[in-house]
DNA sequence: GTACTGATATGCT
DNA sequence: GCATATCAGTACC
């Protein structure tokens, strides 16, 4: 059975959501089957106080629009002209914030993920390739076939959703490590915030 | 394992 | 024009 995260889950504080997402399952439902990963790394971004957030300080543009919606939808954007990043929008409407999904461990659909990432079957991957299928935000989006067509997508929908139980797999999170976020050296004091979670 | 480099498109000054 | 919530490849150790 599959237990999707409830609407209330996404309305909690961003850092609570970021922390609670560790161990949850990200499901990408495609015509060929489900691609499923256990979320292992997240980062919180809080628009009103966080210079690293695209919506700082309360900056509402076409790009940041999803961040201003109520929690529970996807914010997908392009970085460095090449890679997509998936965020889970959190908290209520008009409070721009989200959780970046930075990495996942494959649970199901590794074959599909291998084709998406490397254009070849899982069995033909090197050990190195197998271990890095979705261990970064850009890699995860490639593996899960996530691009801007999923921007604004309802995360309780059919194409992309989050759950804490997926057919016998149950959320497990032991100790969760907090650390500084990655790739935001421009963000002054916000660099120091311990808003990255791993577990 | 770390260090460096180049590729690339979009959103904003 | 310029900066960017990244990655793969290479060269090391």
């Amino acid at each position: 059975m599959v237990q999707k995260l409830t609407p209330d889950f996404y309305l909690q504080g961003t850092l609570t959501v970021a922390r609670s997402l560790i161990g949850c399952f990200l499901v990408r439902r495609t015509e060929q089957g489900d691609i499923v990963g256990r979320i292992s790394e997240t980062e919180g971004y809080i628009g009103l106080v966080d210079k690293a957030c695209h919506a700082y300080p309360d900056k509402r543009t076409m790009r940041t629009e999803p961040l201003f919606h109520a929690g529970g939808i996807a914010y997908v954007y392009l970085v460095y002209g090449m890679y997509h990043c998936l965020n889970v929008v959190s908290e209520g409407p008009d409070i721009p914030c989200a959780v970046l999904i930075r990495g996942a461990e494959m649970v199901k659909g590794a074959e599909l993920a291998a084709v998406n990432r490397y254009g070849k079957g899982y069995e033909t991957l090197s050990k190195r390739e197998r271990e890095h299928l979705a261990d970064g935000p850009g890699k995860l989006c490639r593996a899960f076939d996530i691009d801007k067509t999923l921007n604004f997508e309802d995360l309780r929908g059919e194409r992309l959703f989050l759950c804490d139980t997926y057919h016998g797999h149950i959320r497990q999170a032991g100790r969760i490590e907090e650390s500084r976020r990655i790739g935001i050296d421009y963000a002054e004091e916000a660099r120091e915030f311990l808003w990255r979670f791993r577990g």
Side-chain angles (χ1 to χ4, degrees), chain A residues 134-170:
Chain A
D135 65 342
K139 295 186 243 185
L140 182 142
C141 284
R142 285 253 301 271
F144 282 70
D145 190 27
I146 292 167
D147 61 21
K148 285 194 104 168
T149 62
L150 291 170
N151 200 19
F152 292 104
E153 187 79 1
D154 185 341
L155 293 173
R156 285 164 293 113
E158 276 307 301
R159 293 197 294 171
L160 185 65
F161 58 87
L162 289 157
C163 49
D164 54 21
T165 304
Y166 181 87
H167 296 307
H169 296 92
I170 298 167

Side-chain angles (χ1 to χ4, degrees), chain A residues 64-103:
Chain A
T64 63
E65 182 64 22
L67 294 171
F68 288 83
H69 287 223
I73 64 168
Y75 167 45
V76 182
Y77 66 90
L78 193 67
V79 260
Y80 299 112
M82 269 178 286
Y83 299 103
H84 293 280
C85 287
L86 169 66
N87 294 251
V88 172
V89 175
S90 54
E91 306 196 31
D94 300 319
I95 307 171
C97 45
V99 175
L100 171 65
I101 308 298
R102 285 195 61 89

Side-chain angles (χ1 to χ4, degrees), chain A residues 40-41 102-104 117 131-137 139-140:
Chain A
S40 56
E41 185 173 343
R102 285 195 61 89
R117 280 270 284 140
E131 288 172 354
H132 298 277
L133 268 173
D135 65 342
K139 295 186 243 185
L140 182 142

Side-chain angles (χ1 to χ4, degrees), chain A residues 106 109-134 143:
Chain A
M106 297 309 303
E111 180 62 31
L112 293 168
V115 172
N116 290 338
R117 280 270 284 140
Y118 299 107
K120 57 186 185 180
Y122 184 77
E123 290 306 319
T124 69
L125 298 185
S126 68
K127 184 179 176 195
R128 184 187 169 81
E129 287 169 329
R130 266 197 269 262
E131 288 172 354
H132 298 277
L133 268 173

